[in-house]
Amino acid sequence: MADVTIRDLRKSYGAHPVVHGVSVDIPDGQFAVLVGPSGCGKSTLLRMIAGLEGITAGTIAIGGRVVNNLAPSERDIAMVFQNYALYPHKTVAANMGFALKMARMARAEIDARVARAADILGLQPYLARYPRELSGGQRQRVAMGRAIVRDPQVFLFDEPLSNLDAKLRVQMRSEIRELHQRLGTTTVYVTHDQIEAMTMADRIVVMREGRIAQVGAPLELYDRPADTFVAGFIGSPAMNLVEGTVRGGGLDVGGAVLPLPWRLAEGRAVTLGIRPEHLDLDPAGFAATVVVVEPTGSETHVVLRLGRHDLTAVFRDRHDIRPGQVLRLSPRAGLSHAFDAGTGLRIDTAAAAGVAA
C-alpha cells in the first residue's frame, strides 16, 4: 500500500488544456473518489496516475516515488475499467492470472493468488467459465479479481459500474466498499455519479473544468459546499439554489420573500441554497405552486414554482398533494446556505451576521 501525491498536474492536448494545475494528497489506505460531470478531467487525471496518459507538467508520486516517466507496469498499480476488458477466449481463472503469467510468476503462486481472490469475490464456482457465460456483475468481479491478484500498492477504478443496471450498481458499490475495508489498499475511484461518491468515499475530490472545486469527506461537502457548483452537484435531489436580493432581513426573489437566518448587507445579491429535505410545510411560510408530484414509496418528491425558480421538496410523511395546489413552506432553521450571486462562493454567514450560522 502507498499514498498518492499529486502536485500542480497539468495536461494539454496541443494548445487545449484539460487539467489545470491539480494538487491533491491521497493518504495510504484511503478510498478517494474523483467525481464531476462529463468532461471535467477526472478520467484523464486517473489515466495520468496509471501512466496511460502523458503528463504535460507537474508530478505524481506513489509511495514517495515520482512515477512521471515510469511505464504503467512499473508503477505497482492495478486498474479496473468500465468495460471489464476481459479476454473472451480465456476462462475466468486464466483472465485473473494472465498478468501474473506474463510476469513469469510460478504456476503454484498464480493458482494460490487466483484462488484467494476468487474466494474473496465469490468467484470459485465460475473459475472454469468464459466471460460470455457470466452476468455483468460477475464479469466486473472478474475484472476486480484480476486487479487483486497483483497485490498492487494502489487500485484505480474508472467508472466500473456504469454498464450495470441500477439494482446491480447498488450491490456492486457495497461489494467494492467491503473489498476496500478488507484489503485496505489505497483506492482512487472515478465516477460521474455523486450517489456512488457519497456512499463509497472516505474523501471526495469534486472536479470542474479540469480543476478541483472542493476536497473533503462526503458529509463535509454535503453540509458545507464551497460554492454553488458543489452545492448543486452533491446531493440527490440537488440543492435548490434561489437568486435574490437582501431586503428587510429576507431574500426578495421577485415578489416572494424567503427568510434569512443571518444578517446580510441590505441590497446584496445572494443565492440561497436549501436542500429539498430541509423544506417543511408551514402555514406561515412562503407560498409556491405545485408543478409535479413524484411518489417514490418511502418519500414524495414535489416540484414547485416560486416566481421564475423551480424548487424541489422531499417529504418523508405522506400528504395529499396535487399539481396546481399552493403550498406554504419554510426552510428548516439553521440548515440553509448562502452564496455570493456574483462569484458563486460560499458566504461566511457567521462572520456576516456576527452570530453562528
Side-chain angles (χ1 to χ4, degrees), residues 9 13 34 41-55 60 72 75 77 79 81 156 158 190:
L9 198 65
Y13 294 106
L34 309 180
K42 58 188 183 297
S43 288
T44 301
L45 177 56
L46 190 79
R47 290 175 64 84
M48 285 194 285
I49 297 172
L52 301 176
E53 288 279 357
I55 297 170
I60 298 173
R75 298 189 181 203
I77 56 92
M79 191 162 180
F81 295 92
L156 305 177
D158 189 10
V190 162

Side-chain angles (χ1 to χ4, degrees), residues 20-39:
H20 308 266
V22 166
S23 295
V24 66
D25 295 326
I26 302 170
D28 183 13
Q30 188 173 79
F31 195 116
V33 175
L34 309 180
V35 68
S38 297

Side-chain angles (χ1 to χ4, degrees), residues 140-154:
Q140 192 56 271
R141 288 191 192 94
V142 175
M144 290 162 56
R146 184 178 51 196
I148 291 171
V149 298
R150 297 176 60 185
D151 193 22
Q153 292 193 86
V154 180

Side-chain angles (χ1 to χ4, degrees), residues 15-348:
H16 179 57
V18 294
V19 175
H20 308 266
V22 166
S23 295
V24 66
D25 295 326
I26 302 170
D28 183 13
Q30 188 173 79
F31 195 116
V33 175
L34 309 180
V35 68
S38 297
C40 70
K42 58 188 183 297
S43 288
T44 301
L45 177 56
L46 190 79
R47 290 175 64 84
M48 285 194 285
I49 297 172
L52 301 176
E53 288 279 357
I55 297 170
T56 301
T59 60
I60 298 173
I62 298 175
R65 179 180 64 154
V66 175
V67 299
N68 288 29
N69 298 317
L70 296 182
S73 60
E74 299 174 321
R75 298 189 181 203
D76 201 7
I77 56 92
M79 191 162 180
V80 179
F81 295 92
Q82 175 181 346
N83 62 355
Y84 320 136
L86 303 178
Y87 295 106
H89 61 287
K90 294 182 182 295
T91 65
V92 167
N95 266 285
M96 290 171 63
F98 183 72
L100 306 183
K101 181 180 178 181
M102 291 297 98
R104 301 185 181 280
M105 185 175 288
R107 168 53 59 185
E109 178 65 15
I110 293 174
D111 291 344
R113 290 197 183 195
V114 168
R116 173 177 173 268
D119 184 58
I120 290 171
L121 296 166
L123 289 171
Q124 285 285 4
Y126 310 105
L127 289 176
R129 295 191 186 182
Y130 292 88
R132 64 179 177 273
E133 300 173 301
L134 304 177
S135 68
Q138 290 164 346
R139 292 178 194 176
Q140 192 56 271
R141 288 191 192 94
V142 175
M144 290 162 56
R146 184 178 51 196
I148 291 171
V149 298
R150 297 176 60 185
D151 193 22
Q153 292 193 86
V154 180
F155 285 130
L156 305 177
F157 288 84
D158 189 10
E159 304 211 40
L161 308 184
S162 59
N163 287 336
L164 305 179
D165 62 51
K167 183 177 180 180
L168 192 52
R169 280 202 303 273
V170 173
Q171 177 186 337
M172 287 301 300
R173 74 188 186 210
S174 296
E175 291 186 11
I176 292 173
R177 188 64 174 136
E178 182 182 3
L179 177 67
H180 175 261
Q181 292 168 354
R182 185 168 179 173
L183 300 179
T185 305
T186 307
T187 300
V188 186
Y189 185 105
V190 162
T191 181
H192 64 275
D193 185 334
Q194 54 89 22
I195 295 295
E196 278 184 29
M198 289 291 292
T199 55
M200 299 177 73
D202 296 321
R203 194 162 58 140
I204 297 174
V205 180
V206 182
M207 294 191 66
R208 180 188 187 188
E209 297 177 351
R211 296 178 172 87
I212 291 178
Q214 189 173 358
V215 180
L219 291 181
E220 179 185 343
L221 270 60
Y222 186 85
D223 292 336
R224 290 190 60 81
D227 57 24
T228 52
F229 173 78
V230 178
F233 193 83
I234 297 295
S236 181
M239 181 185 289
N240 297 301
L241 297 171
V242 182
E243 296 179 2
T245 305
V246 177
R247 301 197 192 283
L251 187 71
D252 186 338
V253 296
V257 177
L258 274 62
L260 290 175
W262 330 278
R263 295 189 298 272
L264 299 177
E266 189 76 6
R268 182 172 184 175
V270 170
T271 298
L272 180 66
I274 310 168
R275 296 229 174 257
E277 61 271 30
H278 296 157
L279 278 172
D280 295 325
L281 294 171
D282 180 0
F286 64 87
T289 303
V290 176
V291 178
V292 176
V293 180
E294 299 177 331
T296 67
S298 62
E299 57 192 22
T300 302
H301 297 193
V302 180
V303 179
L304 307 106
R305 190 147 294 147
L306 176 68
R308 61 186 177 87
H309 296 282
D310 282 346
L311 307 179
T312 300
V314 173
F315 302 114
R316 297 286 296 181
D317 298 327
R318 296 192 179 185
H319 303 281
D320 184 18
I321 300 173
R322 301 179 182 181
Q325 185 177 350
V326 175
L327 298 183
R328 289 195 170 272
L329 305 160
S330 287
R332 199 166 298 170
L335 296 178
S336 298
H337 307 260
F339 305 93
D340 184 85
T343 64
L345 296 176
R346 184 181 187 87
I347 296 171
D348 183 351

